[in-house]
Amino acid sequence: MNKEEIVAKIAEADKSYYTNGTSDLSDYEYDLLKKDLLRMDPDNPILSSLGEDHVEGSGTIRRAVKMLSLEKIQQSKEDPDDISALLKWLESRDAKWTDVIIEPKVDGMSAEAKYEYGILKCVSTRGAGDSGDDITLTTKQCFPQKLDKWLSKIAEINIRGELFISRDEYERINVQQLERGEPVFANARNLCAGTVKSKEVIEDRQILFVAHGFGYISVPLQSFDSFYCAMRRNGIPTVPYVFPKNEELAVRTLYDIRSKEYPFYVDGAVIKLNEIHKYKEAGETEHHPKGAVAFKFIPEVKETTVKDIIWQIGGKTGKAVPVAVVDPVSLSGSIVERVTLSNAGLMAHRGIRVGSKVLVEKANEIIPHIAAVAIGSPYILESTIKCPCCNSDMKLVDGKSEPTKDYVCPNQDCPARKTALLHSALGTRGINVMGIGPEICADFIAKYPDLNAATFLQLSPDEYPESMSELQRANLHKEARIARKAPLWRWISAMNIPDVGDTSAKTITRSCKNLREFIKAALDPMY
C-alpha cells in the first residue's frame, strides 16, 4: 500500500469513527497504518490530527490546555513479554520504574469536565484538541454537581478521563438488540459515543466516567497520585494504578491489566511520570505529551472465510440485517460461526461477501466482530433482493449517512416483520413483558397473524401457542398481567409509530398525562 492509499484509508476511518460512530478498521489495524505512514512521511499532517468528532447542531467548548492523545507502543506479536520499547522510552525520559505509575488504558470516549469553584459548568468531547462538542446534557449525571473540601476553593479545574459503558451494561444492551432482531453494537466505545452524542438523553443506557488526568487547573499539583486521591474523596472514580518499582513488577502489572476484568474495557496500559513537574518538563509534541505512553495490547484475531450471507428481518420498519456465516474459528474460549453485520451498505463498502477472507475478533471479548477484510473489495449492491420470509422484493434504501444502506421488506403481512413488530411492542422498549423473546412472538404470530400488544394482554393462558408448556404459559401470563401497569411512555413506544421510540415517547409524556390526551394531540395538530 502506497502513502496516498494509507492517508485515504486513515481519513476514511477517522470520518467513520468520529462522525458516524462506526469502525471500518480494528484499532490494531488502524495503529499499524499510522505506524507505516510515520515511517514513510513523518511530517504528514494527518498524523498530528486528533480526528474531528463534531456533531452538527452541537455547541462547541474551547479549552485553554489542548487535549492530546498518547504516543503508542505496540505489544510485540512475536514476543508478547518483550518490553524493550518501554525501557527505551524510560531511558529517553531519564526516568526509572520508581518514577512512573502504570494504569489500565480505558477503551472509552475521552471527555473533560470543567468545574469553577467546585460547581460543574460543562462537559466536552476531546474534539480537535483545543475545542470539543458540548455534551453536558447527556453526561452531567456522570459527575458530582458540586465538589467539596479544597477543590471547591479552586477557581477552575478541568478533569479529564473516559466516558464508558460497563461490561454488564454493554452485554445487556446487546441482548436487547438481538431480541429485537437488530444488529449488535460492535464495541462498547462506539455505543458510548453514539449515546453521548445523541440529541436527547437515552435514559435506559448508563454512562459512567473514570478520571485519568487534568487540563487547566488554577493551582499547582504535586503528583498524579495526589490528584487521584482528591478525585476519589469527591466521589469521582479514577483509574486504578500501580507503582511498579522495578522491571519484574512492571511486567507482572502489564500481565495483570491484560487478564483482569475491570468494569470498563481495556485495550492497553498507560505508563506515565507520576510527579507533575517531571511530566511537564518532558514536554509535548503537536500530537502527544512526552510524559506518558500507551502500551497497546494485541487483540486475538483469527482469519476465516465467509461461507454465506443470510438476512434476518427485524425492527419496526422491516429492515433486513445481514449475518455472515463463516468457517468456524475458536476465539476467547468459544467457537464463532456467525457474525452479525451493521447493515447492507457498510457490508458492501467493506467488501464482505461470500468467499471473502475476513479477520474476526471478539469485540471486548464478548461479541464476534469482523475487524478487517483480508481479501475482498467494495461492490455495488443489487437494487432488490427477496425477503427470506415472505419472498417479497426488498428494495435498497439509503440510511442517515454514507455508506449506510438497508434492504426493507415492504410487505405489511410478512410474518417475520409482524414478529419483529410484536416483539418490539412487548419487549424492553415497549410494555416490557419479561420472558418474551423473538421465538415466542413468532409462535404467537403463527397462531394470531394480527396480534398486537393490546390483544396479547387479553389472551388467557389456554389461548397461548401449543408449543409452550403449561409452566411457560403460567409464567408468561403472570408477567403479562404485571405489564398492564406499564407507564404511559411504554404504551406510546409499543404503538410502533415511525420515528417514535422510547426516548421520544418519554418526551411526549411530559405534555400528555394519559393515552386519551396523546391520541387527541396526535389527531389534532392544533392541540
Side-chain angles (χ1 to χ4, degrees), residues 415 418-419 422 440-451 465:
K418 285 189 172 184
T419 296
L422 180 64
I440 293 177
C441 287
D443 288 342
F444 270 101
I445 290 298
K447 187 170 184 177
Y448 307 105
D450 296 320
L451 191 67

Side-chain angles (χ1 to χ4, degrees), residues 417-430:
R417 184 167 179 175
K418 285 189 172 184
T419 296
L421 283 169
L422 180 64
H423 187 249
S424 176
L426 301 180
T428 53
R429 292 195 174 184

Side-chain angles (χ1 to χ4, degrees), residues 151-452:
L151 288 175
S152 64
K153 300 175 183 179
I154 297 175
E156 183 177 341
I157 179 171
N158 297 330
I159 301 167
R160 293 177 176 176
E162 301 292 317
L163 294 162
F164 68 94
I165 284 180
S166 71
R167 289 172 174 269
D168 290 343
E169 180 73 350
Y170 174 60
E171 191 168 3
R172 181 190 70 80
I173 292 170
N174 267 335
V175 167
Q176 286 184 358
Q177 290 292 103
L178 291 170
E179 287 177 350
R180 293 197 298 268
E182 297 285 333
V184 296
F185 294 98
N187 59 62
R189 178 186 47 192
N190 289 358
L191 172 58
C192 178
T195 303
V196 166
K197 293 177 183 180
S198 172
K199 294 291 192 298
E200 297 177 331
V201 177
I202 304 178
E203 294 181 1
D204 66 343
R205 293 184 191 173
Q206 185 181 25
I207 305 293
L208 301 173
F209 177 81
V210 60
H212 58 51
F214 55 89
Y216 174 76
I217 181 170
S218 55
V219 299
L221 289 176
Q222 296 298 314
S223 65
F224 281 100
D225 178 34
S226 61
F227 169 74
Y228 288 163
C229 290
M231 292 296 101
R232 292 195 296 274
R233 284 197 299 268
N234 279 269
I236 298 177
T238 67
V239 286
Y241 56 98
V242 171
F243 294 96
K245 296 182 180 179
N246 55 55
E247 184 175 329
E248 181 182 354
L249 185 55
V251 172
R252 190 188 314 159
T253 300
L254 293 174
Y255 177 81
D256 288 345
I257 288 175
R258 178 70 191 261
S259 57
K260 187 176 181 180
E261 189 170 291
Y262 298 95
F264 42 77
Y265 291 103
V266 170
D267 62 352
V270 175
I271 297 88
K272 67 172 67 166
L273 298 173
N274 182 42
E275 293 185 30
I276 302 300
H277 78 275
K278 289 185 177 180
Y279 181 88
K280 290 184 176 180
E281 285 174 1
E284 62 185 35
T285 69
E286 183 69 19
H287 180 247
H288 60 262
K290 295 183 178 180
V293 68
F295 185 73
K296 294 293 291 289
F297 299 140
I298 295 174
E300 184 182 9
V301 179
K302 296 284 182 68
E303 183 176 299
T304 185
T305 302
V306 178
K307 298 193 299 183
D308 194 11
I309 299 290
I310 60 176
W311 300 90
Q312 295 178 344
I313 306 299
K316 297 181 180 182
T317 59
K319 70 178 181 181
V321 179
V323 178
V325 181
V326 300
D327 285 332
V329 288
S330 176
L331 277 178
S332 303
S334 65
I335 303 298
V336 173
E337 296 181 275
R338 292 191 175 198
V339 183
T340 302
L341 306 176
S342 298
N343 59 75
L346 189 56
M347 175 187 73
H349 175 72
R350 298 182 69 189
I352 301 171
R353 52 162 44 119
V354 175
S356 295
K357 297 285 185 182
V358 295
L359 301 179
V360 178
E361 67 179 2
K362 271 197 174 180
N364 306 124
E365 306 299 320
I366 297 176
I367 306 297
H369 168 65
I370 292 181
V373 180
I375 301 176
S377 58
Y379 59 95
I380 297 174
L381 292 163
E382 296 179 29
S383 58
T384 60
I385 62 173
K386 293 293 184 181
C387 172
C389 179
C390 68
N391 208 39
S392 297
D393 286 335
M394 298 195 297
K395 292 185 178 180
L396 190 65
V397 298
D398 291 334
K400 293 182 179 179
S401 60
E402 284 291 338
T404 305
K405 295 179 187 295
D406 290 295
Y407 287 110
V408 176
C409 178
N411 182 10
Q412 301 285 345
D413 293 322
C414 174
R417 184 167 179 175
K418 285 189 172 184
T419 296
L421 283 169
L422 180 64
H423 187 249
S424 176
L426 301 180
T428 53
R429 292 195 174 184
I431 62 174
N432 198 26
V433 180
M434 299 298 291
I436 198 82
E439 295 82 6
I440 293 177
C441 287
D443 288 342
F444 270 101
I445 290 298
K447 187 170 184 177
Y448 307 105
D450 296 320
L451 191 67
N452 57 37

